[in-house]
């Protein structure tokens, strides 16, 4: 490196403006009831009922997001969704819009944005759309190593 030449800046970690997201997909089927009816989800079902409305909305939409991604035919097996990884979710009534979310599938992290609307009693999904994103594993690991 020549004297006086600065080293290149490390790549910036992605934020909601730089997450690479694919085409918008609108769900034709909702999976929440099937997911929550599984015996292994008994504890989750009970926990959801005790949450205040905004937290219940967020957790319920996260469950639907896991199922939608897992059933998208892209080969993902998601086990975690973080709706507010890169941006705060917006909540209006029974609708949650997560523009800066990520999910983990087989130890890799990917961007995702989703819009989820629940019934008035927060027990069923009435609308869900999403955009799958690129692999952001390195950025996520870099962020975790800073904490």
């Amino acid at each position: 490196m020549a004297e006086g030449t600065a080293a290149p800046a490390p790549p910036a970690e992605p934020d909601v403006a730089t997450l690479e997201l694919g085409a918008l997909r609108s769900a034709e089927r909702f999976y929440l009831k099937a997911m929550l009816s599984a015996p292994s989800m008994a504890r989750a079902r009970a926990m959801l009922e005790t949450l205040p409305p905004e937290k219940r909305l967020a957790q319920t939409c996260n469950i639907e997001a896991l199922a939608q991604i897992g059933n998208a035919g892209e080969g993902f097996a998601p086990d975690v969704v973080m709706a507010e990884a890169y941006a705060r979710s917006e909540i209006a009534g029974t609708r949650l819009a997560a523009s800066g979310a990520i999910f983990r599938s087989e130890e890799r992290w990917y961007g995702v944005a989703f819009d989820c609307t629940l019934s008035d009693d927060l027990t069923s999904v009435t609308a869900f759309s999403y955009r799958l994103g690129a692999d952001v594993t390195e950025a996520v690991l870099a962020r975790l190593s800073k904490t």
Side-chain angles (χ1 to χ4, degrees):
M1 183 178 307
E3 190 174 325
T5 304
E13 45 179 272
D15 61 24
V16 70
T18 59
L19 284 176
E20 295 176 34
L21 298 171
L24 182 67
R25 303 167 187 219
S26 293
E28 295 178 9
R29 178 177 177 204
F30 306 123
Y31 299 96
L32 180 67
K33 288 192 188 285
M35 292 277 291
L36 290 177
S37 68
S40 61
M41 294 293 282
R43 193 166 160 212
R45 279 192 309 273
M47 181 267 314
L48 282 172
E49 293 174 9
T50 67
L51 294 176
E54 280 193 3
K55 288 185 187 258
R56 184 173 184 179
L57 171 64
Q59 292 303 315
T60 302
C61 286
N62 284 348
I63 293 167
E64 183 66 27
L66 285 170
Q68 289 292 333
I69 295 165
N71 286 286
E74 301 283 331
F76 292 119
D79 60 349
V80 175
V81 169
M82 295 175 64
E84 297 189 342
Y86 288 102
R88 282 245 184 253
S89 296
E90 295 177 24
I91 293 177
T94 62
R95 179 179 168 258
L96 178 134
S99 61
I102 60 175
F103 69 93
R104 184 177 65 193
S105 177
E106 298 179 10
E107 305 306 317
R108 304 295 299 173
W109 291 93
Y110 301 87
V112 65
F114 61 89
D115 194 310
C116 172
T117 303
L118 301 182
S119 59
D120 288 341
D121 65 359
L122 305 178
T123 61
S124 61
V125 179
T126 61
F128 193 92
S129 60
Y130 63 103
R131 296 173 64 195
L132 294 175
D135 187 323
V136 293
T137 303
E138 299 310 317
V140 170
L141 296 176
R143 180 185 278 185
L144 291 173
S145 70
K146 292 178 185 176
T147 59

